[in-house]
Amino acid sequence: MDSQLDAPVLAVHWYGRPAAVAPALVLFHGLGDSGQCWPDAVARWSPRYCIAGVDALGHGESPRFTPAQLVAADPVEEMYAAAEATLASIVAECKDSVVVVGHSMGGGIAGALAARRPDLVRAAVLEEPAWRDPQYRVVSDEIIAERLADCRDYRQDYAAALERGRTENPGWPEVEYEPWARAKTLVDLDFLALGVASFTHPWERLVEALEVPTLALTGDRLDVLVTDAIRRRAEALHNPNLAIAVIPGAAHCVRREQPDAYHTIVDRFLVTSL
């Protein structure tokens, strides 16, 4: 995209409207989710904050990718441009900078917003951000096929796929399953078929550029994105604006798998950052 003005308008789900006494949290979801996939967090945060859940490009109620965007040098940059334009409109409505909160793909986008637009972002929370090295950003054909089949299953037999999702992800807050499953029916399959969810731009350059308080969270299980090696590389950049927390017993979906531990750490960070 040549400029933010070219970016499509994304769908935003408001949980409370901007108010002078309520700082705003803007939520950016992971691959295959939507801006409505935060019900447990919204229930916990809504008494204190104004919350906006954004549907990423190609997700939820937001526009699909155009053919040109799908063949762009970096489709995730196209997604970022739309997120930046949407964030700018949210900040204008709130009349103040906001906290961005992201998970996985959305964590990568939220981190980029914090690094590139500190005028819009006052702090960032990055849950298992997609800090993938460019040479590993495209997943295997097997994983792509699994993702596509999973989404098609939700479209063809929603009830059965939802029950399977519950079985495969035990212990989540009950309110999380339904919006998570519904989001799978709304994903742009042409984007999903690309097998990407992170930037071609090196993630370390974005971490180096962070000028606002930023908290990254990961787990200690084997299937996390922010592995011990990635965490050490991030810490070796010695950016004083970045803190990284490891939550025991959590894998990629930290907030859903260990919600109390996640909120204990994140809520303390929010209090000190606002």
Side-chain angles (χ1 to χ4, degrees):
M1 267 178 206
D2 295 331
S3 75
Q4 190 187 105
L5 296 176
D6 299 319
V9 176
L10 300 179
V12 179
H13 306 276
W14 285 96
Y15 305 96
R17 302 299 289 186
V21 295
L25 309 183
V26 182
L27 315 181
F28 294 92
H29 62 81
L31 182 67
D33 282 4
S34 78
Q36 295 180 301
C37 288
W38 304 79
D40 183 64
V42 166
R44 293 171 187 249
W45 284 331
S46 56
R48 289 166 291 160
Y49 305 106
C50 169
I51 303 169
V54 178
D55 287 350
L57 188 64
H59 292 70
E61 299 170 13
S62 284
R64 308 296 88 177
F65 279 77
T66 66
Q69 289 170 330
L70 289 170
V71 298
D74 185 356
V76 177
E77 285 287 358
E78 303 289 322
M79 183 178 283
Y80 168 85
E84 182 183 305
T86 302
L87 183 67
S89 68
I90 291 172
V91 168
E93 182 166 355
C94 293
K95 297 181 174 59
D96 199 359
S97 57
V98 302
V99 177
V100 292
V101 182
H103 171 239
S104 193
M105 177 186 75
I109 289 172
L113 288 165
R116 297 172 177 175
R117 295 301 306 268
D119 57 317
L120 302 178
V121 177
R122 67 169 71 181
V125 176
L126 315 178
E127 175 196 355
E128 270 279 278
W131 289 346
R132 296 183 70 89
D133 293 323
Q135 65 269 33
Y136 302 123
R137 65 189 295 268
V138 181
V139 299
S140 68
D141 290 344
E142 181 181 4
I143 292 176
I144 292 172
E146 288 175 357
R147 290 174 176 174
L148 290 170
D150 191 45
C151 288
R152 291 189 178 111
D153 284 347
Y154 278 95
R155 298 181 185 195
Q156 293 168 5
D157 191 343
Y158 180 82
L162 173 58
E163 189 55 37
R164 187 177 72 250
R166 273 199 177 91
T167 301
E168 293 174 351
N169 301 282
W172 288 10
E174 179 59 32
V175 293
E176 290 287 322
Y177 292 111
E178 183 71 29
W180 170 80
R182 187 167 59 249
K184 302 294 178 287
T185 70
L186 301 172
V187 182
D188 186 336
L189 298 185
D190 289 334
F191 171 71
L192 201 63
L194 298 178
V196 299
S198 59
F199 295 104
T200 58
H201 188 78
W203 63 269
E204 286 162 304
R205 303 293 78 77
L206 293 171
V207 171
E208 285 180 323
L210 289 169
E211 297 180 7
V212 301
T214 301
L215 171 66
L217 301 101
T218 185
D220 62 355
R221 286 168 50 184
L222 294 177
D223 50 350
V224 295
L225 286 181
V226 183
T227 62
D228 287 345
I230 294 293
R231 178 172 53 82
R232 286 194 296 269
R233 285 167 57 186
E235 291 171 341
L237 298 172
H238 300 295
N239 186 331
N241 296 306
L242 175 68
I244 303 178
V246 180
I247 296 183
H252 184 54
C253 294
V254 178
R255 176 179 56 84
R256 290 163 171 151
E257 293 155 359
Q258 298 293 335
D260 290 341
Y262 171 93
H263 283 281
T264 295
I265 295 171
V266 171
D267 291 354
R268 185 184 307 122
F269 171 80
L270 292 175
V271 168
T272 60
S273 300
L274 295 175

